[in-house]
Amino acid sequence: MYDVVIVGGGPVGMGLAIELGQRNVSVCVIERYPEPQPIPKGQNLTQRTTEHFFFWNCEAELRAARPTPRDAGIGGMTCYGKLLTEYHYDWLNRALVRDYYYTANERLPQYATEAVLRKRAGEIAAIDIRYGWTCTGAEQDEDGVTVHAATRDESASDTVRGRYAVGCDGSRSTLREAAGITQTLSDHDRLMALLVFRSTELHDLLERYPGKAFFNVLNPELEGYWQFFGRVDQGTTWFFHAPVPPGTTKDNFDFAGMLHAVVGQEFEVEFEYIGFWDLRFAIAERYRNGRVFVAGDAAHSHPPYGGYGINTGFEDARNLGWKLAARLQGWGGEALLDSYDLERRPVFASTADDFIARFIEEDRAFLATYSPEKDREEFERHWFRRNEGADEVAAFEPNYECSPIVSGPAGGVCSARGTHLHKARAGHHLSPATLESGTNVYECLGQGFTLLTFGGCDADAEEIRAEAERQNLPLDLISQSATGPYEARHVLVRPDNFVAWAGDEGKDGARSLVRAAALGDGGG
């Protein structure tokens, strides 16, 4: 019996496998495709996501897999009406929050990211990967989960047993359905086309926008829905997605004409792929049912607006991974596993409502109100002020303030919306900092909890350490005599780099450590 069976070996499933495998948790991954599928989606990786790759020991490989030159730039731009326009502004500029994360953001196609993860997973002895197999059903009992699988050509079948199972098998998750986990759907009733095409001429046209790798075009006729271009490589290959009329097929629509209209000029184009998807939001009504969990698109899905999807899935993997390991290794309780849903589900709901849906609504309202044809001066005054706060980056700060396993503020909520600060706050991501030794704190964080102590408060730190020893909790101590950068004498950091507690009293830290592990009867 494996400790965990993961159904779906895409980026989220493979990331979760690595998170678990590095903790010596035995994992079986069931993945239908022998090779990553060459569709260039999920390209914008945030600074937080590249932190995951740092801890998964494959950040350098991720950087090396980027198909565009290092000096090409990976920024974004929003344009009015057409791509070749005088009305545009910088958009999704992640450099604005660079100082709050240990690593820089990155951009590469999802299939390249998957290849890096597959290679890293293959290096870990605890991970068994079965490529070319699909889940056909599953059932659970009090001791574990039995997953039924078959080869894609149905020539062979097998059963795999795990103490827990996690569905990372996409929006049509077989494991989610087998576990009886239902979804809430919010359908925008829009058919979207995804095009992949080659055009060096478009590259030449867009040299006027140096450092830009993706472009969001706001057409007033589309009522806030985007027409979106992205580079796949430097100079040749692109992807594009946009709304198309109901009933559109590969054969009954002029896709080249649509591209020319959106760009504002004709250019040569050679199509490599034409596909379709439905614009909708979906969220599982719970992320756990007994011994079965869901993560990534199996738990939530939304339009690919703003690069939130793949990054949200990776955070699911980090959050769930350490909690499953804690439970299996005997130092985490059932309440710790329950906290996965309590933390991650509200964050996705906030991402969908406070960012993606709000962007669509705000764009729709702006386009209905202002236009250069009606009143150029009024349009320009509001257009060039639209993104002054860069809310899509500056305010996107997922946090778990109301989680039962952090010592958060009274009245706090778990949300994707927050404020980036260097101050350590319970439920928030730990900001990087250079210690008096000259080492960044991120290079010192362990696989368990880490207690940062500043100002020589060793007696308080000893009280917290002794409590960890009594409870058999993994705890690393980092102490320095100088005052720290976090506005607290002690900072208790969770295995996923979120702050469990920040304060000045040792007894409070000891209680918070027990709370953060959500101690139960131990074992799985």
Side-chain angles (χ1 to χ4, degrees), residues 315-323 340 343-344 400 494:
E315 196 68 66
D316 293 344
R318 282 296 302 282
N319 187 292
L320 179 58
W322 75 268
K323 294 173 181 178
Y340 168 63
E343 291 182 346
R344 295 303 302 156
Y400 313 132
R494 303 187 338 178

Side-chain angles (χ1 to χ4, degrees), residues 430-435 439-445 450 452 478 486:
L430 180 74
S431 171
T434 302
L435 302 174
T439 303
N440 194 287
V441 67
Y442 264 71
E443 298 171 37
C444 304
L445 298 176
T450 303
L452 310 176
I478 299 175
Y486 296 119

Side-chain angles (χ1 to χ4, degrees), residues 231-248:
R231 296 182 185 273
V232 178
D233 53 33
Q234 189 66 16
T236 304
T237 310
W238 304 79
F239 74 90
F240 173 82
H241 61 72
V244 291
T248 298

Side-chain angles (χ1 to χ4, degrees), residues 222-503:
L222 296 181
E223 300 178 331
Y225 297 106
W226 299 353
Q227 296 172 309
F228 192 91
F229 288 88
R231 296 182 185 273
V232 178
D233 53 33
Q234 189 66 16
T236 304
T237 310
W238 304 79
F239 74 90
F240 173 82
H241 61 72
V244 291
T248 298
T249 69
K250 294 180 180 180
D251 303 317
N252 68 2
F253 191 80
D254 181 8
F255 291 104
M258 178 174 66
L259 289 176
H260 296 158
V262 178
V263 171
Q265 181 174 322
E266 292 190 1
F267 59 94
E268 50 82 18
V269 56
E270 177 186 347
F271 290 104
E272 293 188 345
Y273 174 85
I274 299 174
F276 303 92
W277 52 276
D278 295 320
L279 193 155
R280 65 173 52 179
F281 295 90
I283 182 169
E285 294 186 352
R286 49 181 169 166
Y287 284 11
R288 178 192 188 189
N289 184 11
R291 291 179 173 270
V292 176
F293 299 80
V294 289
D297 285 352
H300 47 74
S301 57
H302 59 68
Y305 285 12
Y308 298 107
I310 191 172
N311 298 293
T312 299
F314 280 133
E315 196 68 66
D316 293 344
R318 282 296 302 282
N319 187 292
L320 179 58
W322 75 268
K323 294 173 181 178
L324 278 171
R327 184 63 174 144
L328 287 160
Q329 293 164 359
W331 57 269
E334 279 298 305
L336 183 63
L337 295 183
D338 289 338
S339 73
Y340 168 63
D341 174 278
L342 296 173
E343 291 182 346
R344 295 303 302 156
R345 203 158 58 92
V347 165
F348 174 78
S350 173
T351 301
D353 294 341
D354 297 335
F355 291 89
I356 302 170
R358 182 171 63 83
F359 293 159
I360 295 172
E361 293 163 3
E362 289 181 354
D363 289 342
R364 178 183 297 144
F366 176 88
L367 295 169
T369 305
Y370 306 105
S371 78
E373 292 77 21
K374 289 192 297 187
D375 188 330
R376 178 176 291 271
E377 183 177 344
E378 182 76 357
F379 169 83
E380 291 181 350
R381 183 163 59 251
H382 288 85
W383 172 261
F384 291 113
R385 293 204 313 245
R386 289 201 77 213
N387 206 39
E388 286 180 344
D391 196 57
E392 76 283 353
V393 170
F396 185 72
E397 194 258 342
N399 63 84
Y400 313 132
E401 281 195 352
C402 78
S403 169
I405 65 166
V406 306
S407 300
V413 297
C414 295
S415 173
R417 193 171 185 84
T419 305
H420 287 86
L421 298 174
H422 289 295
K423 177 182 178 180
R425 297 162 292 162
H428 291 257
H429 170 265
L430 180 74
S431 171
T434 302
L435 302 174
E436 60 184 0
S437 64
T439 303
N440 194 287
V441 67
Y442 264 71
E443 298 171 37
C444 304
L445 298 176
Q447 284 197 343
F449 289 93
T450 303
L451 178 66
L452 310 176
T453 295
F454 303 96
C457 302
D458 294 336
D460 285 344
E462 177 58 28
E463 183 175 354
I464 299 171
R465 186 206 61 76
E467 181 60 38
E469 188 172 287
R470 281 193 294 273
Q471 301 293 348
N472 196 30
L473 301 179
L475 178 69
D476 290 327
L477 297 179
I478 299 175
S479 178
Q480 69 174 41
S481 58
T483 301
Y486 296 119
E487 300 183 33
R489 297 166 77 181
H490 305 290
V491 180
L492 181 63
V493 187
R494 303 187 338 178
D496 59 354
N497 320 133
F498 277 76
V499 176
W501 166 77

Side-chain angles (χ1 to χ4, degrees), residues 22-310:
Q22 289 187 160
R23 299 173 184 277
N24 296 316
V25 173
S26 64
V27 180
C28 177
V29 180
I30 298 173
E31 166 52 34
R32 65 183 301 183
Y33 293 114
E35 300 293 337
Q37 297 303 287
I39 306 299
K41 56 184 180 178
Q43 299 211 62
N44 279 315
L45 304 183
T46 65
Q47 291 100 334
R48 173 58 181 158
T49 286
T50 54
E51 285 181 353
H52 302 326
F53 280 79
F54 169 77
F55 286 103
W56 291 336
N57 297 297
C58 55
E59 184 199 357
E61 290 77 5
L62 182 78
R63 308 286 185 192
R66 175 176 163 180
T68 56
R70 304 306 307 174
D71 60 355
I74 56 175
M77 175 182 290
T78 292
C79 307
Y80 176 80
K82 59 185 179 181
L83 196 52
L84 302 178
T85 176
E86 61 183 304
Y87 298 121
H88 54 78
Y89 54 75
D90 286 353
W91 176 70
L92 212 62
N93 180 10
R94 300 198 187 279
L96 294 171
V97 297
R98 173 65 182 89
D99 292 345
Y100 301 96
Y101 298 90
Y102 178 58
T103 53
N105 60 309
E106 190 53 271
R107 179 178 173 83
L108 68 167
Q110 182 173 306
Y111 54 79
T113 302
E114 285 190 36
V116 171
L117 292 168
R118 285 184 177 213
K119 182 176 184 299
R120 174 62 186 135
E123 297 169 349
I124 301 173
I127 302 174
D128 177 16
I129 308 173
R130 302 192 181 187
Y131 291 121
W133 288 76
T134 61
C135 171
T136 58
E139 60 269 345
Q140 61 177 305
D141 53 48
E142 62 180 14
D143 297 318
V145 184
T146 300
V147 177
H148 303 282
T151 55
R152 293 188 67 198
D153 61 5
E154 300 182 347
S155 62
S157 62
D158 197 6
T159 58
V160 182
R161 182 85 169 151
R163 297 171 74 183
Y164 296 96
V166 185
C168 300
D169 49 340
S171 60
R172 295 179 174 84
S173 170
T174 300
L175 186 60
R176 184 189 66 231
E177 294 293 327
I181 299 175
T182 57
Q183 286 186 301
T184 298
L185 302 177
S186 175
D187 201 327
H188 281 240
D189 195 28
R190 287 277 178 163
L191 178 65
M192 306 290 289
L194 171 62
L195 314 177
V196 181
F197 63 94
R198 298 171 63 84
S199 178
T200 55
E201 194 172 337
L202 180 59
H203 169 72
D204 294 339
L205 289 171
L206 295 181
E207 284 189 331
R208 67 190 70 188
Y209 303 134
K212 302 305 178 188
F214 53 98
F215 307 85
N216 171 31
V217 180
L218 298 181
N219 185 330
E221 297 179 0
L222 296 181
E223 300 178 331
Y225 297 106
W226 299 353
Q227 296 172 309
F228 192 91
F229 288 88
R231 296 182 185 273
V232 178
D233 53 33
Q234 189 66 16
T236 304
T237 310
W238 304 79
F239 74 90
F240 173 82
H241 61 72
V244 291
T248 298
T249 69
K250 294 180 180 180
D251 303 317
N252 68 2
F253 191 80
D254 181 8
F255 291 104
M258 178 174 66
L259 289 176
H260 296 158
V262 178
V263 171
Q265 181 174 322
E266 292 190 1
F267 59 94
E268 50 82 18
V269 56
E270 177 186 347
F271 290 104
E272 293 188 345
Y273 174 85
I274 299 174
F276 303 92
W277 52 276
D278 295 320
L279 193 155
R280 65 173 52 179
F281 295 90
I283 182 169
E285 294 186 352
R286 49 181 169 166
Y287 284 11
R288 178 192 188 189
N289 184 11
R291 291 179 173 270
V292 176
F293 299 80
V294 289
D297 285 352
H300 47 74
S301 57
H302 59 68
Y305 285 12
Y308 298 107
I310 191 172

